[in-house]
Amino acid sequence: MPGPKVYVSITGLRIKKPWHVFEFYRLAAASLRQARTAKGNLRSDVKKIGGVHHTITVWESEQAMRAFMYVEPHLSAIRAFRRIASGKTFGFEARSVPDWEEVHRLWHARGQDYV
């Protein structure tokens, strides 16, 4: 039986230049720590698949995810994004959390350019 609805957010980013790696990981690590302690966060994981740095976060609601999104340190990651990476995001309500294979498939099929 499916569980209650949750909000799933998938991001996949490619680092633009080798010299952006350190800044990318610094911002990503800080954002992941923030997400894992954010109110309403149920799960936060990362995995590199085919050269793409993916994150999946699972939230009690879209509102909880948005409350996290525009607060430091994640806000600094958003501001640096266009300069250091390219990628797409996809968010949706679900009753189950996709596995990594499905995350990558959904990212390819339904992801929107990250802005």
Side-chain angles (χ1 to χ4, degrees):
M1 173 180 252
K5 281 188 182 179
V6 294
Y7 189 80
V8 178
S9 180
I10 296 169
T11 301
L13 302 175
R14 286 186 180 94
I15 300 170
K16 287 183 176 179
K17 303 286 183 186
W19 52 86
H20 293 139
V21 167
F22 296 110
E23 183 176 9
F24 176 87
Y25 281 117
R26 180 181 58 79
L27 293 166
S31 294
L32 181 61
R33 281 191 302 274
Q34 176 192 4
R36 286 183 170 162
T37 60
K39 183 177 179 183
N41 182 269
L42 304 172
R43 177 179 163 192
S44 299
D45 290 317
V46 297
K47 185 171 185 174
K48 189 174 179 181
I49 304 171
V52 177
H53 299 270
H54 284 287
T55 62
I56 180 171
T57 53
V58 182
W59 303 87
E60 292 174 353
S61 66
E62 183 177 0
Q63 294 76 20
M65 185 274 300
R66 292 197 178 279
F68 148 82
M69 219 171 125
Y70 297 111
V71 176
E72 292 295 341
H74 189 263
L75 183 58
S76 289
I78 291 172
R79 289 181 175 148
F81 165 74
R82 288 182 190 248
R83 183 174 45 79
I84 67 172
S86 61
K88 301 186 286 187
T89 63
F90 177 55
F92 58 99
E93 283 190 340
R95 292 200 183 274
S96 63
V97 178
D99 62 20
W100 281 111
E101 184 177 318
E102 182 71 358
V103 165
H104 194 63
R105 188 193 69 72
L106 286 168
W107 179 80
H108 273 290
R110 303 193 57 195
Q112 301 290 316
D113 287 340
Y114 189 81
V115 287

